[in-house]
């Protein structure tokens, strides 16, 4: 199987080159990169003039709800949603039912993932047994089986000793620990950002300190053990400062931010009439917080953008705000939302910087064997994402591959979309009537 | 004036003229309450459902009296706990009520945004928010405005000092909006742990010391202190609360002889208010209760397009 992509603007994972480049994918591997490549024997040829060809986007954090909550999402719907959203690789979170806390479930997800025709799916395993926060899960066995991260996401690891032990124990496994930063004693019953939104709504406030204090705690443990730690869905100015201070003092800490925290603000909860679609953990934050996250992208404090795609059934979301479930589904519009917002913020960072947070950034946080996913180079896997930076389209959640039927972006026109996703050398998604297939 | 508010969810979308209009309408209803026969046929043939998910005798009875004085057909639909706990979702309840032909639904619910949610789901019925979580209680605010307006006249450039648990109070949130729109200045006081984070976003200011806050106050408005806040550790004891933040005669003296005292009820005597203040000559507490019926009559009448006789 040979696919030739002609005339694309090449982003290789780090730099965006101005000229037109051809990329040849052969049997799942990138075999040639150059100009005017010979199309001899290519099964398919696409003309990517004015489009960006990038390493396939990687989502470090999404909830595919498999096993056990398939009414919300499953591996197949999630994988297809991922491809439609421009992601060639999804890291699925282990807060399922049962939780993914053992090697058998890691193997189940990898095997079932192989059968899916959308994004590549790689699993994260629980840090603690039964995700109960008491004892270490069998991280060694899960690492051998193919787990790519360890996390109790959905919950923080509140027991500081357990988090320290997990860092020590995982040090030789080459699999990173991901912490969902939240001090639960500060967020009990909390619903929205502690600030304007909590003041006006009367909903209990979720203070920024609940997140930043957990980042400082984790950074301190990372310093102590010498083992890296990753913080996911970091959402406030204070947290960005915590990351900056920790990085500057030599801690091996990294973080990701989500599209909703980069594009939406707490006031939307009020202007949206307390619609559960705006309810998420951590909550939508202030304008100053959103600005600080973009500043973190600009100055390199942010290491990746991850969706935290959290699909629910409408019966769990279409409720009065306080009863609605925490979570925003975004897989199929996350990249577009980011590109749109980036343009709105005019040159706040380079496009290269932004694209790296979907590619080389997240790839560098995965185990060694997956790091070539983040680059386009001869010999690297043929996982590719094609971007049309000028294409405009309205988000229509009713047509999603995902089982989610609500998203804050529904009905909004976004500019800048992924138009093709290639996984293992095969076209996993192509926007209808968009790209010209030459052959 | 042409009435534009379809539902009554919160006062944040109201203009001052609309507030004034309702106060004047309330005034005529108030006169009606003095008549030997209080019932008028204004809402004959209209079905009003009182949908109460939280126990609230005062608000429910006040609405019910208002509805009955206007000759509406009244159904009390009480449901305890959350809609989830009850097994039926609020969405299904909403559609059931509409199918039954409800012209208006009064909803009291523990969850913030429940009234907004109901209004989104109902195509025809008018929704009256009877209190949603700690968010909003517009009819309480309107009856408070009416009570104050009736007693002291124009509310422009008046000083309202609100003391107590602002953080958990829907009454406070709605009253701050209402009094501010009428041109009054609202000063909040009480323990810092019971204040919302961004007081300025409410358009109010905060003075932690009630003794300095009440100087020059036209109205002292006391908020109910729930015992569970002490259990949650938000202040050390009810006794300490009363000593520092409770309204007693010495606090009232600092304010002045013309200052009026208001409270949304039910009153915790000896906590947020001393008995001799609650029952004293400056207290408007019983006036508020009476205003509540008149205000709700006016609101139902205006929003349901009742015919003036
Ligand atoms: Zn999380």
């Amino acid at each position: 199987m040979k696919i030739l992509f002609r005339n694309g603007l090449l982003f290789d994972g780090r730099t965006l080159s101005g000229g037109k480049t051809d990329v040849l994918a052969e049997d799942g591997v990138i075999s040639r990169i150059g100009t005017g490549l010979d199309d001899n024997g290519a099964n398919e040829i696409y003309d990517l003039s004015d489009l960006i060809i990038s390493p396939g986007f990687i989502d470090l954090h999404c909830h595919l709800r498999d096993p056990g909550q398939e009414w919300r999402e499953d591996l197949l719907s999630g994988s297809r949603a991922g491809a439609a959203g421009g992601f060639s690789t999804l890291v699925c979170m282990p807060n399922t039912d049962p939780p993914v806390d053992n090697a058998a479930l890691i193997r189940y997800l990898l095997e079932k993932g192989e059968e899916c025709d959308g994004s590549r799916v790689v699993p994260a395993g629980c840090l603690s047994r039964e995700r109960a926060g008491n004892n270490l899960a069998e991280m060694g066995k899960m690492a051998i089986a193919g787990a790519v991260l360890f996390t109790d996401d959905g919950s923080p690891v509140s027991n500081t000793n357990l988090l320290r032990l997990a860092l020590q124990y995982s040090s030789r496994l080459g699999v990173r620990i991901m912490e969902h930063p939240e001090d639960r004693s500060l967020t009990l019953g909390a619903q929205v950002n502690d600030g304007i939104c909590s003041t006006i709504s009367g909903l209990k406030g979720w203070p920024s300190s609940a997140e930043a204090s957990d980042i400082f705690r984790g950074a301190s443990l990372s310093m102590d053990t010498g083992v890296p730690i990753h913080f996911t869905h970091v959402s406030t100015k204070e947290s960005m400062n915590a990351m900056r201070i920790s990085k500057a003092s030599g801690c091996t800490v990294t973080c990701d931010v989500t599209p909703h925290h980069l594009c939406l603000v707490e006031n939307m909860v009020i202007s949206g009439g307390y619609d559960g679609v705006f309810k998420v953990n951590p909550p939508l934050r202030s304008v100053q917080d959103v600005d600080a996250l973009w500043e973190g992208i600009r100055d390199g404090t942010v290491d990746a953008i991850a969706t935290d795609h959290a699909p629910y059934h409408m019966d769990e979301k279409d409720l009065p705000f306080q009863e609605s479930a925490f979570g925003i589904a975004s897989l199929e519009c996350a990249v577009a939302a980011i590109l749109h917002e980036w343009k709105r913020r005019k040159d706040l960072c380079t496009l290269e910087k932004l694209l790296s947070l979907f590619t080389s950034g997240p790839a560098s946080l995965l185990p060694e064997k997956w790091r070539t996913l983040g680059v386009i180079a001869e010999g690297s896997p043929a996982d590719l994402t094609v971007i049309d930076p000028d294409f405009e389209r309205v988000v229509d959640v009713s047509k999603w591959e995902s089982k989610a039927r609500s998203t804050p972006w529904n009905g909004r026109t976004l500019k800048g979309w992924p138009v093709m996703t290639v996984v293992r050398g095969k076209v996993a998604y192509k926007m209808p009537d968009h790209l010209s297939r030459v052959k | 004036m042409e009435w534009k508010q379809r539902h009554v969810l919160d006062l944040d979308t109201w203009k001052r003229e609309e507030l004034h209009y309702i106060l004047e309408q309330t005034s005529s209803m108030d006169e009606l309450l003095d008549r030997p026969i209080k019932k008028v046929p204004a809402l004959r043939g209209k079905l009003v459902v009182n949908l109460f998910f939280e126990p609230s005798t005062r608000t429910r009875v006040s609405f019910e009296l208002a509805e009955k004085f206007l000759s509406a057909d009244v159904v009390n639909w009480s449901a305890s706990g959350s809609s989830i706990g009850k097994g039926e979702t609020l969405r299904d309840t909403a559609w059931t009520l509409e199918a039954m032909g409800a012209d208006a639904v009064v909803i009291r619910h523990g969850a913030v945004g429940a009234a907004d949610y109901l209004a989104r789901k109902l195509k025809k019925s008018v929704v009256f928010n009877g209190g949603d979580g700690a968010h909003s209680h517009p009819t309480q605010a309107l009856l408070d405005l009416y009570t104050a307006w009736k007693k002291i006249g124009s509310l422009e450039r008046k000083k309202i000092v609100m003391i107590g648990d602002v953080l958990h109070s829907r009454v406070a949130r709605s009253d701050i909006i209402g009094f501010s729109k009428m041109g009054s200045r609202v000063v909040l006081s009480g323990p810092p742990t019971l204040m919302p984070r961004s007081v300025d976003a409410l358009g109010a200011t905060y003075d932690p010391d009630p003794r300095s806050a009440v100087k020059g106050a036209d109205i002292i408005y006391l908020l109910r202190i729930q015992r569970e806040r002490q259990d949650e550790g938000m202040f050390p004891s009810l006794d300490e609360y009363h000593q520092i933040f409770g309204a007693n005669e010495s606090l009232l003296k600092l304010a002045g002889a013309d200052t009026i005292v208001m409270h949304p009820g039910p009153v915790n005597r000896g906590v947020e208010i001393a008995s001799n203040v609650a029952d004293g000559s400056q207290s408007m507490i019983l006036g508020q209760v009476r205003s509540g019926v008149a205000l709700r009559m006016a609101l139902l009448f205006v929003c349901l397009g009742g015919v003036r006789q």
Side-chain angles (χ1 to χ4, degrees), chain B residues 107-143:
Chain B
I107 179 173
R108 159 68 68 97
H109 200 292
V112 167
D116 298 77
Y117 180 86
L118 195 70
R120 274 201 294 278
K121 297 295 167 194
L122 293 177
K123 301 276 175 289
K124 296 192 209 84
S125 322
V126 177
V127 176
F128 293 88
N129 186 2
D132 64 321
H135 172 223
S136 176
H137 196 354
T139 60
Q140 177 73 44
L142 289 168
L143 76 87

Side-chain angles (χ1 to χ4, degrees), chain B:
Chain B
M1 85 182 262
E2 196 193 342
W3 189 250
K4 295 226 175 69
Q5 303 285 344
R6 186 186 154 195
H7 304 290
V8 180
L9 303 176
D10 194 357
L11 297 182
D12 56 355
T13 59
W14 286 44
K15 298 191 189 72
R16 197 191 287 191
E17 307 86 81
E18 292 172 310
L19 292 168
H20 260 295
Y21 180 69
I22 289 296
L23 297 189
E24 274 151 21
Q25 294 291 314
T26 305
S27 194
S28 13
M29 294 297 178
D30 207 354
E31 285 164 24
L32 206 69
L33 291 180
D34 284 330
R35 293 189 198 166
I37 295 169
K38 299 174 174 63
K39 212 169 171 95
V40 293
L43 295 182
R44 192 146 62 193
K46 300 271 187 191
L47 173 60
V48 183
V49 179
N50 297 319
L51 181 60
F52 277 63
F53 289 89
E54 267 187 350
S56 157
T57 312
R58 293 167 158 264
T59 304
R60 191 185 55 71
V61 168
S62 178
F63 264 109
E64 197 177 336
L65 277 176
E67 292 149 8
K68 287 182 169 162
F69 288 160
L70 295 174
S71 306
D73 293 317
V74 180
V75 173
N76 288 315
W77 183 302
S78 55
S80 51
S82 73
S83 49
I84 288 174
K86 199 179 155 252
E88 182 177 77
T89 66
L90 187 55
R91 183 172 23 149
D92 289 321
T93 307
W95 289 338
T96 304
L97 296 174
E98 196 145 70
M100 287 172 175
D103 296 291
V105 180
V106 177
I107 179 173
R108 159 68 68 97
H109 200 292
V112 167
D116 298 77
Y117 180 86
L118 195 70
R120 274 201 294 278
K121 297 295 167 194
L122 293 177
K123 301 276 175 289
K124 296 192 209 84
S125 322
V126 177
V127 176
F128 293 88
N129 186 2
D132 64 321
H135 172 223
S136 176
H137 196 354
T139 60
Q140 177 73 44
L142 289 168
L143 76 87
D144 289 337
L145 291 182
Y146 177 72
T147 310
W149 177 72
K150 191 174 152 190
K151 178 75 183 172
I152 62 179
S154 167
L155 298 176
E156 234 170 307
R157 286 183 294 278
K158 293 292 193 296
K159 181 180 179 185
I160 321 300
V161 180
M162 209 170 236
I163 307 171
D165 184 1
V166 178
L167 185 63
H168 300 96
S169 174
R170 54 184 161 220
V171 173
R173 284 188 178 76
S174 285
D175 275 65
I176 293 168
I177 295 173
F179 278 103
S180 303
K181 290 208 173 193
M182 295 297 286
S184 305
R185 185 162 66 90
V186 182
V187 178
L188 307 175
S189 191
T193 46
L194 294 177
M195 287 299 129
R197 186 178 188 109
S198 315
V199 165
D200 40 329
L202 294 172
T205 53
Y206 173 55
D207 182 343
D209 180 8
R211 301 179 70 81
S212 67
V214 298
K215 294 214 171 92
D218 298 284
I219 302 172
I220 297 176
Y221 197 111
L222 303 158
L223 297 166
R224 199 174 142 73
I225 293 297
Q226 276 162 329
R227 274 154 211 282
E228 67 205 69
R229 304 300 167 212
Q230 184 194 329
D231 304 337
E232 288 164 8
M234 307 201 80
F235 56 88
S237 74
L238 291 171
D239 198 46
E240 177 166 319
Y241 183 91
H242 184 66
Q243 196 180 319
I244 299 173
F245 300 103
N248 50 28
E249 281 193 315
S250 78
L251 189 76
L252 212 53
K253 279 212 185 73
L254 288 171
D258 296 331
T259 308
I260 59 170
V261 175
M262 298 175 73
H263 188 294
V267 172
N268 278 322
R269 290 167 185 268
V271 184
E272 69 266 9
I273 189 165
S275 271
N276 53 3
V277 172
D279 306 334
S281 59
Q282 288 164 269
S283 167
M284 297 301 296
I285 297 175
L286 289 175
Q288 287 172 273
V289 176
R290 178 189 161 108
S291 301
V293 179
L295 171 274
R296 289 178 176 110
M297 286 170 77
L299 213 51
L300 284 157
F301 178 76
V302 170
C303 292
L304 289 178
V307 199
R308 189 185 288 273
Q309 18 161 8

Side-chain angles (χ1 to χ4, degrees), chain A residues 7-216:
Chain A
N7 304 324
L9 301 166
L10 181 72
F11 172 70
D12 65 3
R14 304 257 172 231
T15 51
L16 185 61
S17 57
K20 295 185 166 190
T21 310
D22 296 350
V23 175
L24 181 68
E26 211 169 334
D27 298 326
V29 176
I30 291 167
S31 57
R32 299 268 323 267
I33 301 168
T35 47
L37 291 187
D38 190 358
D39 61 8
N40 256 358
N43 305 75
E44 294 171 24
I45 301 172
Y46 294 92
D47 181 15
L48 303 187
S49 296
D50 302 323
L51 306 178
I52 296 165
I53 182 165
S54 160
F57 284 12
I58 300 165
D59 185 5
L60 279 182
H61 186 150
C62 65
H63 297 270
L64 302 187
R65 311 300 194 196
D66 194 340
Q69 298 159 341
E70 290 86 352
W71 69 89
R72 294 174 178 164
E73 196 79 283
D74 61 37
L75 234 47
L76 183 60
S77 66
S79 153
R80 286 178 176 169
F87 293 100
S88 64
T89 298
L90 303 178
V91 178
C92 61
M93 290 297 111
N95 62 335
T96 48
D97 185 15
V100 180
D101 70 346
N102 60 74
L105 283 175
I106 295 289
R107 283 191 293 268
Y108 157 81
L109 288 166
L110 284 168
E111 271 170 35
K112 194 168 170 189
E114 291 278 332
E115 294 162 11
C116 295
D117 54 9
S119 313
R120 194 191 282 271
V121 179
V122 288
C126 290
L127 181 149
S128 71
R129 201 182 300 159
E130 294 172 345
R131 213 174 67 85
N134 299 319
N135 305 96
L136 291 180
E138 290 181 335
M139 292 196 282
K141 286 184 182 173
M142 285 195 283
I144 293 165
V148 301
L149 284 171
F150 292 121
T151 180
D152 276 359
D153 182 64
S155 313
V157 180
S158 296
N159 180 328
T160 307
N161 183 45
L162 182 71
L163 186 54
R164 185 169 179 274
L165 289 170
L167 288 166
Q168 285 179 320
Y169 189 82
S170 67
S171 61
R172 53 170 213 92
L173 301 176
V175 179
R176 202 169 285 242
I177 302 285
M178 177 198 267
E179 167 74 346
H180 158 126
E182 178 186 348
D183 181 331
R184 282 272 161 99
S185 71
L186 293 173
T187 61
L188 190 72
Q191 301 269 322
V192 293
N193 188 42
D194 189 38
I196 288 173
C197 193
S198 62
T199 300
I200 289 178
S201 68
L203 289 161
K204 188 166 176 196
W206 189 301
S208 174
S209 56
E211 187 172 291
S213 63
D214 198 14
I215 290 173
F216 277 125

